[in-house]
PDB file of all heavy atoms in Angstrom:
ATOM      1  N   MET A 470      10.919   2.625  -1.090  1.00  0.00           N
ATOM      2  CA  MET A 470      12.242   1.997  -1.082  1.00  0.00           C
ATOM      3  C   MET A 470      13.127   2.675  -0.035  1.00  0.00           C
ATOM      4  O   MET A 470      13.152   3.908   0.026  1.00  0.00           O
ATOM      5  CB  MET A 470      12.843   2.129  -2.456  1.00  0.00           C
ATOM      6  CG  MET A 470      14.209   1.480  -2.542  1.00  0.00           C
ATOM      7  SD  MET A 470      14.728   1.502  -4.266  1.00  0.00           S
ATOM      8  CE  MET A 470      16.095   2.592  -4.152  1.00  0.00           C
ATOM      9  N   SER A 471      13.855   1.880   0.701  1.00  0.00           N
ATOM     10  CA  SER A 471      14.855   2.488   1.632  1.00  0.00           C
ATOM     11  C   SER A 471      16.206   1.916   1.283  1.00  0.00           C
ATOM     12  O   SER A 471      16.335   0.820   0.719  1.00  0.00           O
ATOM     13  CB  SER A 471      14.510   2.186   3.088  1.00  0.00           C
ATOM     14  OG  SER A 471      14.565   0.827   3.378  1.00  0.00           O
ATOM     15  N   SER A 472      17.226   2.709   1.595  1.00  0.00           N
ATOM     16  CA  SER A 472      18.589   2.271   1.323  1.00  0.00           C
ATOM     17  C   SER A 472      19.437   2.299   2.601  1.00  0.00           C
ATOM     18  O   SER A 472      19.454   3.287   3.313  1.00  0.00           O
ATOM     19  CB  SER A 472      19.217   3.163   0.272  1.00  0.00           C
ATOM     20  OG  SER A 472      20.549   2.743   0.025  1.00  0.00           O
ATOM     21  N   HIS A 473      20.112   1.172   2.823  1.00  0.00           N
ATOM     22  CA  HIS A 473      21.143   1.118   3.862  1.00  0.00           C
ATOM     23  C   HIS A 473      22.297   1.966   3.325  1.00  0.00           C
ATOM     24  O   HIS A 473      22.860   1.665   2.261  1.00  0.00           O
ATOM     25  CB  HIS A 473      21.543  -0.348   4.021  1.00  0.00           C
ATOM     26  CG  HIS A 473      22.829  -0.612   4.738  1.00  0.00           C
ATOM     27  ND1 HIS A 473      22.862  -1.205   5.969  1.00  0.00           N
ATOM     28  CD2 HIS A 473      24.112  -0.373   4.398  1.00  0.00           C
ATOM     29  CE1 HIS A 473      24.129  -1.359   6.356  1.00  0.00           C
ATOM     30  NE2 HIS A 473      24.914  -0.839   5.407  1.00  0.00           N
ATOM     31  N   CYS A 474      22.617   3.049   4.038  1.00  0.00           N
ATOM     32  CA  CYS A 474      23.608   3.974   3.532  1.00  0.00           C
ATOM     33  C   CYS A 474      24.198   4.774   4.691  1.00  0.00           C
ATOM     34  O   CYS A 474      23.465   5.340   5.481  1.00  0.00           O
ATOM     35  CB  CYS A 474      22.967   4.919   2.516  1.00  0.00           C
ATOM     36  SG  CYS A 474      24.110   6.125   1.832  1.00  0.00           S
ATOM     37  N   PHE A 475      25.516   4.785   4.789  1.00  0.00           N
ATOM     38  CA  PHE A 475      26.135   5.554   5.894  1.00  0.00           C
ATOM     39  C   PHE A 475      26.455   6.982   5.480  1.00  0.00           C
ATOM     40  O   PHE A 475      26.528   7.844   6.330  1.00  0.00           O
ATOM     41  CB  PHE A 475      27.376   4.830   6.387  1.00  0.00           C
ATOM     42  CG  PHE A 475      27.019   3.582   7.134  1.00  0.00           C
ATOM     43  CD1 PHE A 475      27.349   2.319   6.620  1.00  0.00           C
ATOM     44  CD2 PHE A 475      26.310   3.654   8.330  1.00  0.00           C
ATOM     45  CE1 PHE A 475      26.977   1.173   7.304  1.00  0.00           C
ATOM     46  CE2 PHE A 475      25.961   2.501   8.993  1.00  0.00           C
ATOM     47  CZ  PHE A 475      26.282   1.251   8.490  1.00  0.00           C
ATOM     48  N   GLY A 476      26.635   7.233   4.187  1.00  0.00           N
ATOM     49  CA  GLY A 476      26.937   8.590   3.770  1.00  0.00           C
ATOM     50  C   GLY A 476      27.698   8.591   2.477  1.00  0.00           C
ATOM     51  O   GLY A 476      27.579   7.645   1.661  1.00  0.00           O
ATOM     52  N   GLY A 477      28.504   9.646   2.228  1.00  0.00           N
ATOM     53  CA  GLY A 477      29.329   9.736   1.043  1.00  0.00           C
ATOM     54  C   GLY A 477      28.514   9.878  -0.248  1.00  0.00           C
ATOM     55  O   GLY A 477      27.351  10.289  -0.213  1.00  0.00           O
ATOM     56  N   GLU A 478      29.158   9.533  -1.344  1.00  0.00           N
ATOM     57  CA  GLU A 478      28.504   9.664  -2.679  1.00  0.00           C
ATOM     58  C   GLU A 478      27.210   8.870  -2.790  1.00  0.00           C
ATOM     59  O   GLU A 478      26.281   9.285  -3.465  1.00  0.00           O
ATOM     60  CB  GLU A 478      29.439   9.118  -3.763  1.00  0.00           C
ATOM     61  CG  GLU A 478      30.517  10.041  -4.238  1.00  0.00           C
ATOM     62  CD  GLU A 478      31.430   9.292  -5.208  1.00  0.00           C
ATOM     63  OE1 GLU A 478      30.909   8.591  -6.086  1.00  0.00           O
ATOM     64  OE2 GLU A 478      32.639   9.402  -5.038  1.00  0.00           O
ATOM     65  N   ALA A 479      27.157   7.725  -2.103  1.00  0.00           N
ATOM     66  CA  ALA A 479      25.950   6.897  -2.184  1.00  0.00           C
ATOM     67  C   ALA A 479      24.752   7.663  -1.604  1.00  0.00           C
ATOM     68  O   ALA A 479      23.648   7.562  -2.113  1.00  0.00           O
ATOM     69  CB  ALA A 479      26.161   5.589  -1.409  1.00  0.00           C
ATOM     70  N   ALA A 480      24.999   8.439  -0.543  1.00  0.00           N
ATOM     71  CA  ALA A 480      23.903   9.217   0.040  1.00  0.00           C
ATOM     72  C   ALA A 480      23.420  10.293  -0.937  1.00  0.00           C
ATOM     73  O   ALA A 480      22.209  10.501  -1.074  1.00  0.00           O
ATOM     74  CB  ALA A 480      24.352   9.862   1.352  1.00  0.00           C
ATOM     75  N   ASP A 481      24.368  10.947  -1.631  1.00  0.00           N
ATOM     76  CA  ASP A 481      23.972  11.936  -2.639  1.00  0.00           C
ATOM     77  C   ASP A 481      23.075  11.273  -3.703  1.00  0.00           C
ATOM     78  O   ASP A 481      22.058  11.832  -4.085  1.00  0.00           O
ATOM     79  CB  ASP A 481      25.203  12.550  -3.338  1.00  0.00           C
ATOM     80  CG  ASP A 481      25.968  13.462  -2.358  1.00  0.00           C
ATOM     81  OD1 ASP A 481      25.339  14.073  -1.469  1.00  0.00           O
ATOM     82  OD2 ASP A 481      27.205  13.571  -2.503  1.00  0.00           O
ATOM     83  N   ALA A 482      23.482  10.086  -4.124  1.00  0.00           N
ATOM     84  CA  ALA A 482      22.723   9.371  -5.151  1.00  0.00           C
ATOM     85  C   ALA A 482      21.322   9.009  -4.637  1.00  0.00           C
ATOM     86  O   ALA A 482      20.339   9.114  -5.358  1.00  0.00           O
ATOM     87  CB  ALA A 482      23.469   8.125  -5.597  1.00  0.00           C
ATOM     88  N   CYS A 483      21.238   8.594  -3.344  1.00  0.00           N
ATOM     89  CA  CYS A 483      19.923   8.289  -2.759  1.00  0.00           C
ATOM     90  C   CYS A 483      19.026   9.519  -2.765  1.00  0.00           C
ATOM     91  O   CYS A 483      17.818   9.453  -3.065  1.00  0.00           O
ATOM     92  CB  CYS A 483      20.047   7.800  -1.312  1.00  0.00           C
ATOM     93  SG  CYS A 483      20.755   6.143  -1.157  1.00  0.00           S
ATOM     94  N   ILE A 484      19.615  10.652  -2.364  1.00  0.00           N
ATOM     95  CA  ILE A 484      18.834  11.876  -2.267  1.00  0.00           C
ATOM     96  C   ILE A 484      18.360  12.329  -3.643  1.00  0.00           C
ATOM     97  O   ILE A 484      17.231  12.760  -3.829  1.00  0.00           O
ATOM     98  CB  ILE A 484      19.680  12.991  -1.564  1.00  0.00           C
ATOM     99  CG1 ILE A 484      19.938  12.578  -0.090  1.00  0.00           C
ATOM    100  CG2 ILE A 484      18.958  14.343  -1.617  1.00  0.00           C
ATOM    101  CD1 ILE A 484      21.060  13.377   0.570  1.00  0.00           C
TER     102      ILE A 484
END
Side-chain angles (χ1 to χ4, degrees):
M470 181 172 114
S471 63
S472 179
H473 165 113
C474 178
F475 290 112
E478 278 174 45
D481 289 330
C483 288
I484 294 164

